[in-house]
Amino acid sequence: MNFFKIKTCWSNAEFIPLKLCIASAYLFIGSYFHDFFDDYYTLIFIIFGITVVWSVSLWIHKMKSQNKQ
């Protein structure tokens, strides 16, 4: 399967959405165990959703651009 063999190069700025995505997922999962984050479910889920779409679109764009070279 060629999908997993494609290599991409990421700059530090392009890792920001991925890191936000992972951090918001951890907060969302962790909020089930702590009442402190109960009021922030919607905000955390919105941040997670936006950063997932952003990270996947960056990844797909990079794979397409490297295949053209």
Side-chain angles (χ1 to χ4, degrees):
M1 191 179 249
N2 291 334
F3 182 74
F4 294 110
K5 293 180 182 178
I6 298 172
K7 296 184 180 186
T8 60
C9 296
W10 293 73
S11 69
N12 289 336
E14 290 172 331
F15 272 118
I16 292 171
L18 181 64
K19 289 179 181 182
L20 281 173
C21 172
I22 293 169
S24 60
Y26 280 129
L27 284 174
F28 189 68
I29 292 168
S31 67
Y32 281 101
F33 304 108
H34 295 285
D35 293 333
F36 178 75
F37 291 108
D38 280 346
D39 298 333
Y40 303 107
Y41 276 136
T42 307
L43 177 64
I44 293 169
F45 189 69
I46 289 171
I47 292 171
F48 174 70
I50 291 170
T51 54
V52 163
V53 171
W54 193 0
S55 298
V56 170
S57 67
L58 280 173
W59 183 27
I60 291 171
H61 177 72
K62 286 190 152 299
M63 284 193 313
K64 286 182 181 179
S65 67
Q66 283 191 348
N67 281 340
K68 291 179 183 179
Q69 293 177 357

